[in-house]
């Protein structure tokens, strides 16, 4: 689950992104993003490729590309799981 909050004040949308990169050769096996509206939550389920060996998994949040400001915005991943 992901959650974006406006803390009771107007804010902009947030983008959640997950990237999986194979460490042996740096190949990005997955790079997927979801936009979440300010004050909203969302469930996110994604098929991941079979992972053999060591990989880097990056979970990140960023302001939506058209956001004018990050004032009053915050976002968090809730119980992320791979499987």
């Amino acid at each position: 689950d992901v959650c974006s909050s406006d803390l009771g004040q107007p804010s902009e949308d947030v983008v959640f992104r997950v990237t999986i990169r194979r460490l042996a050769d740096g190949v990005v096996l997955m790079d997927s993003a979801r936009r979440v509206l300010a004050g909203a939550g969302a469930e996110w389920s994604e098929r991941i490729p079979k992972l053999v060996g060591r990989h880097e998994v990056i979970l990140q949040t960023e302001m939506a590309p058209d956001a004018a400001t990050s004032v009053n915005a915050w976002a968090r991943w809730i119980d992320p799981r791979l499987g």
Side-chain angles (χ1 to χ4, degrees):
D1 291 354
V2 295
C3 176
S4 172
S5 177
D6 58 13
L7 300 175
Q9 301 293 324
S11 69
E12 305 275 353
D13 299 349
V14 174
V15 173
F16 288 78
R17 180 179 301 278
V18 60
T19 304
I20 300 176
R21 184 177 62 87
R22 188 170 46 224
L23 292 180
D25 57 9
V27 170
V28 173
L29 301 173
M30 183 173 136
D31 185 17
S32 184
R34 298 284 186 277
R35 183 179 186 137
V36 177
L37 302 177
E43 288 189 24
W44 184 359
S45 180
E46 190 85 35
R47 286 190 160 273
I48 62 171
K50 183 177 179 179
L51 304 177
V52 177
R54 295 180 56 146
H55 292 76
E56 176 180 56
V57 178
I58 302 167
L59 303 176
Q60 74 181 66
T61 61
E62 58 195 45
M63 296 307 298
D66 56 347
T69 180
S70 63
V71 172
N72 297 320
W74 64 270
R76 66 181 172 151
W77 291 87
I78 302 170
D79 194 24
R81 291 174 277 164
L82 293 177

